[in-house]
Amino acid sequence: MDVPWFDLFRLVFILSTLHFTATFKQGTCYFPERWEGAWFQSGVRAPVLIEGPRLSTKGRCLGSDGDKFLMVDEKRACYRCVVIHEKHKNVLQYKETFCHGRDALPTLCSLITGDALLYSLFRENASPVSCPFRGPFTFTYNRGHGECRSPVSNIDTCTEDSKLLLSYQACPDIYGSESTVEELQCLASWKEGSVRYLVGQIHHHHVTSNEDRFRCFVYEKTTPSSENAEGIDYRVAQSGDATCNGLFSATEGSRTMTLRRGNSSSAQPINKCRFPSWIANFNHWHTLDFSQSFSFHHRNSTLRIGNSSGIEMKVLCVQVKHSREEEHVVLVTHFTMGCQSGFNCMSFYRRDGHVAEIQIGSQTNRLEDACSTPFFNKSSLPYITLVTSSSDRATQPCPYMGKFDVTNVVRSDEANFPKEARLESDSAYFDRRMRSRRYTKPRVEDWDFRRVKRLDQSSNCDSKSFSSLVIGCNKMDTMEFNTECTTPDLITAYSCHGRWEENGTSFLITTPISRAHGARKFCFMYKELGPNVVAFSTSSYCNRLIQPGITGDLIFNLTNRGKCMETNSSIRARPISIRWLIIFALLVLIIRRSTYAPWIFR
């Protein structure tokens, strides 16, 4: 029977594979585990996968000798030598032969010539590394049509050491120059001989794929010479595609740059002041709902603000604009968030030992403008209330010690608040556009005063759920609501922290005693309406637009019905009086019986 040539060829291939299996450790050639994962190669659509003995675009490994690997392409029934060099944990480079028939590994690898193409693999989803040079810099650049010198371009620092912000300026007399902003994230750097390489990802609004995103750089730091005398710190050359091909020096590339330090218009200023000691001495602060944290570093000169999304802002004290010792200070600060930076005005208020408030203005590129009215308007900016991390232990006596009747208890629906009165948990200062939230005070007639939801509707209690309030009677730092409701979600007791008064309205910071509600705190706002009557409102922050007794999350009125000792003494006297009455009645009965039946006592 005739055997088709194709089947005969496949049989020979299988036998040769078995031969190599015996020769090269039974075919168990595995790539290093640290190489495993998905890699990007320019010109290859799908990710290149390295897993165990397989390199997805080349086949299966049969044997290795150092950095040389014998690969079998089972689909094409051929063999090739692939020489792979690890430049960095995030960068592999390789050369290869064409696909040949069966042969020994050294023989196949000898076919690779010196001018063979060098391919680069960049790890996808790689962990970034610190950039080898840090801004701020000014720089000029050349894309092959002349050097763009005026206006000068800038490189600015970012919060993360792995990022740089490159702001290119367009020169009217240079063809190909354009005004654009690129964010460079550094992924790998290594040295090859005297040449230093950097691989990174470039992000800007034109980037749509990894072909546009990955770029290779060659950089060199200048030595004390004539160049350095001109103020040049670095020379950098950039590749024109997602490879490192054709980059051999820092003066030749698709785009070359000359970096000079220290003259960037947005350069980070040197610290010239410190944050007030009464707030910086407590290193860690947070908002009432724990959505933001404020921590002070470097001898009170640096503030780091973080939010629940993991975004962080670094703030430096630059200039003191106004100071009232131990009470209030206004500062010009320089912020860096991500790769954005600028100046803003911050006003700090000391409210109590463990309570402070901050107002933060909007950003500007000019220090002189930071505290001016367009960027900082005290009357329209919200207050951010802060408490120290140790504030739970720093309680103090609550105001209005005694016993009170609670009336007009309602819980308002936030949807009926004017938009201007709302404040989200995470401040707008963390918005990527860095827009500062501004408010216009609404007119009183704009408020919706409807009693929206009675307390009993959310807790299955009757309308007299909170019937009375005891302040400071059992503990001086505790407020306790009396209720017949047994719903566990209902907060009935609070501990008191700092308090202050402002324009006739008092503010009190409280913490629910029940830990089922977490560690968050609340702001109680109250105002005396007349003799023995106080209007209260509560909120998750100290909103100046809330009117006590009218608007707020929880609204109620208090009427004083006595002091703690007066009520307690009357309660304690009652059982003593009854006991003496019983004794007196028994004595009367005994005397009467002794009169009518004297024989009993004989």
Side-chain angles (χ1 to χ4, degrees):
M1 182 177 64
D2 294 334
V3 179
W5 282 106
F6 179 75
D7 291 343
L8 182 61
F9 181 77
R10 287 180 61 87
L11 179 61
V12 172
F13 171 73
I14 292 172
L15 291 175
S16 63
T17 301
L18 292 175
H19 166 74
F20 275 100
T21 299
T23 305
F24 296 100
K25 301 179 183 179
Q26 300 181 356
T28 55
C29 165
Y30 290 89
F31 293 105
E33 288 186 9
R34 63 182 181 276
W35 292 2
E36 292 194 352
W39 299 78
F40 169 78
Q41 179 177 331
S42 180
V44 179
R45 286 191 175 184
V48 176
L49 301 178
I50 298 179
E51 185 177 5
R54 293 197 171 274
L55 179 59
S56 61
T57 55
K58 308 302 175 187
R60 181 167 59 88
C61 181
L62 292 179
S64 64
D65 181 13
D67 55 8
K68 301 178 179 66
F69 298 87
L70 178 64
M71 307 297 299
V72 55
D73 188 335
E74 295 169 329
K75 292 182 179 179
R76 299 174 59 188
C78 60
Y79 303 84
R80 76 178 78 218
C81 170
V82 181
V83 181
I84 304 177
H85 299 286
E86 180 180 341
K87 300 300 182 180
H88 186 272
K89 65 179 182 179
N90 294 329
V91 177
L92 300 177
Q93 290 184 335
Y94 72 90
K95 291 185 176 184
E96 64 178 348
T97 64
F98 292 107
C99 225
H100 295 274
R102 177 175 61 88
D103 212 330
L105 177 61
T107 304
L108 286 174
C109 292
S110 66
L111 300 176
I112 298 178
T113 59
D115 60 351
L117 284 176
L118 178 68
Y119 299 97
S120 297
L121 295 176
F122 303 138
R123 187 185 295 276
E124 294 189 354
N125 302 317
S127 300
V129 300
S130 296
C131 294
F133 44 86
R134 297 280 293 162
F137 294 102
T138 60
F139 71 94
T140 59
Y141 67 96
N142 190 329
R143 301 186 65 179
H145 302 283
E147 191 166 16
C148 180
R149 295 176 175 270
S150 180
V152 71
S153 302
N154 298 312
I155 295 180
D156 290 310
T157 57
C158 300
T159 306
E160 301 172 46
D161 293 340
S162 61
K163 292 182 179 179
L164 293 171
L165 190 70
L166 290 79
S167 301
Y168 292 90
Q169 300 296 330
C171 295
D173 57 335
I174 302 298
Y175 175 79
S177 66
E178 61 177 339
S179 179
T180 185
V181 177
E182 297 180 355
E183 181 182 299
L184 171 64
Q185 184 168 52
C186 301
L187 299 179
S189 62
W190 70 94
K191 185 178 180 182
E192 198 168 308
S194 60
V195 181
R196 297 181 182 274
Y197 287 88
L198 167 68
V199 168
Q201 283 188 322
I202 292 177
H203 301 276
H204 57 82
H205 59 280
H206 293 307
V207 169
T208 58
S209 67
N210 281 336
E211 288 284 359
D212 304 321
R213 198 170 288 121
F214 282 103
R215 286 295 181 268
C216 192
F217 301 83
V218 169
Y219 67 95
E220 66 177 11
K221 183 173 176 59
T222 58
T223 57
S225 63
S226 58
E227 276 194 339
N228 192 254
E230 297 175 11
I232 298 174
D233 286 276
Y234 286 92
R235 291 191 178 276
V236 182
Q238 178 182 323
S239 65
D241 56 18
T243 71
C244 292
N245 296 339
L247 280 182
F248 303 108
S249 74
T251 57
E252 297 178 84
S254 174
R255 176 162 54 190
T256 59
M257 292 171 275
T258 303
L259 279 56
R260 295 174 173 84
R261 185 178 294 279
N263 295 319
S264 172
S265 59
S266 57
Q268 182 171 294
I270 299 175
N271 297 59
K272 295 183 179 179
C273 61
R274 299 184 186 278
F275 293 98
S277 59
W278 48 265
I279 190 170
N281 284 346
F282 295 99
N283 294 106
H284 301 288
W285 297 72
H286 54 78
T287 52
L288 301 185
D289 61 358
F290 280 79
S291 64
Q292 298 174 43
S293 63
F294 292 67
S295 56
F296 294 89
H297 306 272
H298 301 108
R299 298 182 180 180
N300 302 350
S301 63
T302 303
L303 167 64
R304 290 187 179 272
I305 307 175
N307 75 347
S308 55
S309 302
I311 302 174
E312 185 178 81
M313 179 194 296
K314 180 181 178 182
V315 182
L316 300 179
C317 183
V318 177
Q319 182 181 356
V320 178
K321 295 293 290 185
H322 169 76
S323 178
R324 197 164 65 218
E325 286 296 328
E326 302 299 321
E327 291 183 20
H328 177 218
V329 63
V330 179
L331 305 175
V332 177
T333 61
H334 181 274
F335 72 88
T336 304
M337 189 183 72
C339 291
Q340 297 189 18
S341 61
F343 298 93
N344 56 19
C345 192
M346 300 182 72
S347 185
F348 293 81
Y349 303 87
R350 187 181 190 181
R351 300 308 189 191
D352 212 310
H354 293 264
V355 181
E357 289 192 304
I358 302 179
Q359 287 181 300
I360 305 178
S362 55
Q363 73 171 49
T364 175
N365 292 327
R366 287 168 42 88
L367 181 151
E368 297 80 5
D369 297 336
C371 291
S372 61
T373 302
F375 300 96
F376 186 83
N377 188 344
K378 176 183 175 181
S379 61
S380 62
L381 286 172
Y383 289 83
I384 302 174
T385 307
L386 303 178
V387 292
T388 65
S389 298
S390 58
S391 60
D392 283 351
R393 300 188 298 272
T395 59
Q396 59 179 251
C398 299
Y400 300 112
M401 184 177 296
K403 299 202 172 186
F404 301 83
D405 290 324
V406 178
T407 58
N408 300 328
V409 182
V410 293
R411 189 184 299 277
S412 290
D413 187 350
E414 190 182 27
N416 290 279
F417 278 47
K419 290 182 179 180
E420 294 84 353
R422 302 176 195 163
L423 181 67
E424 297 177 1
S425 296
D426 285 338
S427 173
Y429 314 114
F430 292 99
D431 190 293
R432 291 187 182 276
R433 296 178 298 277
M434 288 300 297
R435 295 175 181 171
S436 180
R437 186 178 278 110
R438 293 192 168 274
Y439 294 84
T440 302
K441 282 192 175 181
R443 298 170 299 172
V444 174
E445 54 266 29
D446 292 335
W447 288 88
D448 186 347
F449 292 143
R450 289 183 301 132
R451 304 297 191 179
V452 186
K453 186 192 296 182
R454 298 199 64 84
L455 192 64
D456 55 304
Q457 291 180 349
S458 62
S459 58
N460 297 321
C461 298
D462 59 23
S463 60
K464 296 182 180 180
S465 175
F466 282 176
S467 57
S468 62
L469 175 64
V470 177
I471 303 179
C473 293
N474 297 320
K475 285 186 176 181
M476 296 184 67
D477 63 354
T478 303
M479 305 169 62
E480 298 172 280
F481 286 94
N482 292 322
T483 176
E484 297 176 359
C485 178
T486 58
T487 302
D489 292 336
L490 190 63
I491 304 174
T492 59
Y494 298 83
S495 59
C496 298
H497 303 283
R499 69 177 188 264
W500 70 97
E501 189 271 338
E502 183 181 320
N503 298 326
T505 299
S506 296
F507 299 84
L508 171 67
I509 305 301
T510 66
T511 302
I513 291 179
S514 170
R515 282 301 173 186
H517 301 279
R520 66 177 298 170
K521 293 175 171 54
F522 294 90
C523 185
F524 279 47
M525 291 150 277
Y526 56 94
K527 194 171 188 177
E528 294 185 4
L529 300 181
N532 300 324
V533 179
V534 183
F536 268 81
S537 292
T538 72
S539 180
S540 57
Y541 61 99
C542 296
N543 188 348
R544 295 325 195 261
L545 300 179
I546 287 179
Q547 299 184 20
I550 300 176
T551 54
D553 295 342
L554 180 65
I555 306 165
F556 56 92
N557 290 342
L558 297 182
T559 303
N560 192 340
R561 62 180 176 87
K563 296 181 180 179
C564 299
M565 296 303 296
E566 292 176 357
T567 309
N568 288 344
S569 61
S570 63
I571 293 174
R572 285 194 298 268
R574 191 174 298 124
I576 297 174
S577 301
I578 293 173
R579 186 164 59 247
W580 281 107
L581 284 174
I582 294 173
I583 294 173
F584 179 76
L586 289 173
L587 287 174
V588 171
L589 181 61
I590 292 172
I591 292 172
R592 285 184 177 180
R593 287 191 176 184
S594 64
T595 303
Y596 294 102
W599 54 269
I600 296 177
F601 298 96
R602 291 177 183 173

